[in-house]
Amino acid sequence: MRMEEDVELARQFTVGQADSEGWMRGSRSLTHLTRAELDAFHDDYLALLARYAHGPEDAPDDARPVLLRWFGLPAD
């Protein structure tokens, strides 16, 4: 899963978020889901990514490459 890269991105977020001029966003949450709801959430997340996806050739002029991560795991 390339977890080392994710840990480094989290560190960069912590260090750089205040000076990012709004280019760094994040969210954390704890909720209670069934397995089916977690599957649905994941599918909705993928659909949201597809909705906003641009390659460099069709991205708006003011777009920047942005790294996005999502993962869910049981808290107990």
Side-chain angles (χ1 to χ4, degrees):
M1 283 185 52
R2 301 174 63 181
M3 190 58 70
E4 295 83 15
E5 179 182 337
D6 293 341
V7 170
E8 175 58 21
L9 289 174
R11 188 197 65 74
Q12 289 176 24
F13 181 86
T14 301
V15 170
Q17 199 274 334
D19 297 324
S20 73
E21 298 178 357
W23 276 98
M24 291 184 179
R25 299 294 186 109
S27 174
R28 293 179 54 182
S29 181
L30 172 66
T31 190
H32 293 77
L33 301 171
T34 65
R35 171 67 193 272
E37 289 171 329
L38 180 59
D39 288 345
F41 184 94
H42 181 73
D43 292 347
D44 288 349
Y45 173 78
L46 294 178
L48 187 63
L49 286 177
R51 178 176 155 197
Y52 285 95
H54 297 287
E57 66 285 345
D58 67 339
D61 290 340
D62 60 343
R64 295 174 64 182
V66 176
L67 296 166
L68 302 170
R69 299 293 192 269
W70 178 87
F71 59 89
L73 62 149
D76 56 2

